[in-house]
Amino acid sequence: MGWSPAYILLILTKFMLINPYTADTATPCQEFTRQLCLLGDTFVNNAPFKVTSIAIDGEEIPVIWNTGNNAQTSWICSLLNSYGPSSRAELSLIETTKLLRVLFTSLSYTAQFLLQSCGLGSGIFLENWYLPTTLYPAQRSAQGIIDAVKVLERQAAEQGQNHLPIIIRSLTPALHTAMIDQLRHSGFLMVPTRQIWIADNIRDHSWRQRSHIKRDLSLERKYAAQTEWVAGEDFSDEDFARSLFLYNQIYRGKFPEFNPDYSLSFFKTAVATGFIKFYGLRSVIHQSDNFAGYPVTEYSTAKPPLSAFVGIVRRDNLFSTPLFGYDLSRPRKEGLYRRLMLKVSLEAERHQGSVHCSGGAGNFKALRGAQSHVEYAAVWMQHLPAYRQAIFKLLAKTIDTFITPYAAKNQL
């Protein structure tokens, strides 16, 4: 009996992961894009969408087609969730006056209603890797994006999806001034999405002079003999499962549940293709009484479970940490979060790079020399009816007027 097409596809997928093309014919980004196109609709449980690819500036990059208009979709590929449920969940975590809380909550509900009722809660997300932050390579050009958007607009019309806006996330003047200007001049609307932090003081080593960095380095030296860093290439199945558990503790437990709900295969594929570099932190002194409470599936009798992990993405000399997690039951004095953030800074320093610190924990990042910036999504909507365009313009104006100044002032 012959092999079915589905079985042949499964074998080819496994072959590509075991024998990645990165050494000869494809970069990690290209190989990860291929895997996203094959399996992307199974990688994130709260964003189960079709993924295609398109060429920009000589590179194949992923495109996520969010056609759901569902407010519960993860914010990484949903402006509806970003300005609706996710923003209200974030608001519950910060201290503010009762008046401002009522104002921001009302604005969020209004934005959600307008976007969803007018069918604008979906979108085509260009160069989206199912991660909180997209890092763009130096060769990425505004003209390349414009050309790709025109192709996507034609594809959407052919598929009966020409009601979808086309969205490019993670643009900030600190990194993309010329690109933003050219896109805006070409008809894109820049909608503020969040406050982010960038540490560019790493390249000249001045970051090491800050008192909090000195303390972090001292902490790393203190625990160096008791722990070891494990590269993702050496992770066991238990290590991957443990990493996902630690991620979920932070991103899906401690913080709002609208963060991406990753599958285990996403973690393994990201590491196998080389797109994300994982590093795990493990104790080298096994004290069994400390681990007695772990479920059997998350505890290896050979080695202690990982106490923390971090996933690092690099594009040219810009680094980010889209994934991390740490054991919330460990003593605070161990400084697991501090060590994870120091890890990426040291990696960036080795390559004379900078770190895109994403959003949140503003005070922590400011004390270590990072600078805050407004991040935008470029929205292409020229093919949409005038009333839908007006809704996006009103949204952008409202955020610029009420939300952005408050976030900048309070280092959110």
Side-chain angles (χ1 to χ4, degrees), residues 160-172:
Q161 303 287 352
N162 57 331
H163 62 287
L164 299 176
I166 302 174
I167 301 160
I168 300 94
R169 295 177 55 246
S170 301
L171 297 176
T172 180

Side-chain angles (χ1 to χ4, degrees), residues 79 122-127 165-169 377-380 392:
L79 292 184
S122 307
I124 302 170
F125 287 78
L126 178 61
E127 196 152 357
I166 302 174
I167 301 160
I168 300 94
R169 295 177 55 246
V379 180
W380 178 257
F392 266 120

Side-chain angles (χ1 to χ4, degrees), residues 159-300:
Q159 299 173 30
Q161 303 287 352
N162 57 331
H163 62 287
L164 299 176
I166 302 174
I167 301 160
I168 300 94
R169 295 177 55 246
S170 301
L171 297 176
T172 180
L175 300 172
H176 316 108
T177 300
M179 184 185 297
I180 289 173
D181 289 344
Q182 188 171 345
L183 291 177
R184 183 181 282 119
H185 181 74
S186 299
F188 287 79
L189 176 69
M190 294 296 159
V191 183
T193 52
R194 59 177 181 164
Q195 196 83 6
I196 56 95
W197 297 81
I198 297 174
D200 57 7
N201 59 339
I202 296 175
R203 288 177 294 181
D204 60 7
H205 305 292
S206 63
W207 70 297
R208 285 179 173 266
Q209 304 307 312
R210 303 189 72 90
S211 60
H212 284 79
I213 295 297
K214 291 179 179 179
R215 294 172 193 166
D216 294 343
L217 291 167
S218 177
L219 178 73
E220 181 66 25
R221 290 191 294 270
K222 177 181 178 180
Y223 286 99
Q226 303 173 35
T227 55
E228 62 177 351
W229 287 101
V230 183
E233 294 84 352
D234 299 322
F235 273 25
S236 64
D237 287 343
E238 290 84 359
D239 290 334
F240 278 111
R242 176 67 173 164
S243 296
L244 183 59
F245 173 79
L246 294 173
Y247 164 86
N248 284 329
Q249 264 200 333
I250 302 296
Y251 281 95
R252 306 273 303 158
K254 183 178 180 180
F255 295 127
E257 69 274 16
F258 303 110
N259 285 311
D261 182 10
Y262 292 115
S263 66
L264 190 60
S265 60
F266 179 88
F267 276 29
K268 291 185 175 181
T269 302
V271 172
T273 58
F275 182 71
I276 304 181
K277 297 292 186 182
F278 271 33
Y279 295 95
L281 195 59
R282 192 196 313 277
S283 172
V284 296
I285 303 174
H286 187 177
Q287 297 173 332
S288 58
D289 56 328
N290 287 346
F291 308 115
Y294 289 109
V296 174
T297 56
E298 293 166 357
Y299 173 64
S300 167

Side-chain angles (χ1 to χ4, degrees), residues 165-166 187 189 379-385 388-390 392-393:
I166 302 174
L189 176 69
V379 180
W380 178 257
M381 55 180 184
Q382 298 300 320
H383 56 296
L384 302 181
R388 288 185 173 178
Q389 295 187 37
F392 266 120
K393 292 176 181 177

Side-chain angles (χ1 to χ4, degrees), residues 110-183:
T110 301
Q112 179 178 337
F113 172 77
L114 290 174
L115 289 173
Q116 196 162 25
S117 62
C118 295
L120 296 173
S122 307
I124 302 170
F125 287 78
L126 178 61
E127 196 152 357
N128 189 307
W129 307 88
Y130 276 131
L131 295 174
T133 300
T134 296
L135 300 184
Y136 295 97
Q139 77 267 21
R140 184 67 68 247
S141 67
Q143 189 58 53
I145 291 175
I146 293 168
D147 292 342
V149 165
K150 291 178 180 177
V151 173
L152 289 174
E153 188 177 344
R154 289 197 299 269
Q155 291 178 355
E158 292 168 358
Q159 299 173 30
Q161 303 287 352
N162 57 331
H163 62 287
L164 299 176
I166 302 174
I167 301 160
I168 300 94
R169 295 177 55 246
S170 301
L171 297 176
T172 180
L175 300 172
H176 316 108
T177 300
M179 184 185 297
I180 289 173
D181 289 344
Q182 188 171 345
L183 291 177

Side-chain angles (χ1 to χ4, degrees), residues 83-85 87-89 91 96-115 394-395 398-399 402-403:
Y83 300 123
S87 66
R88 294 193 296 273
L91 182 62
T96 187
T97 65
K98 183 177 181 180
L99 177 62
L100 285 177
R101 190 175 300 277
V102 171
L103 172 63
F104 292 155
T105 300
S106 300
L107 290 174
S108 173
Y109 275 113
T110 301
Q112 179 178 337
F113 172 77
L114 290 174
L115 289 173
L394 175 62
L395 177 64
T398 301
I399 296 171
F402 295 101
I403 309 298

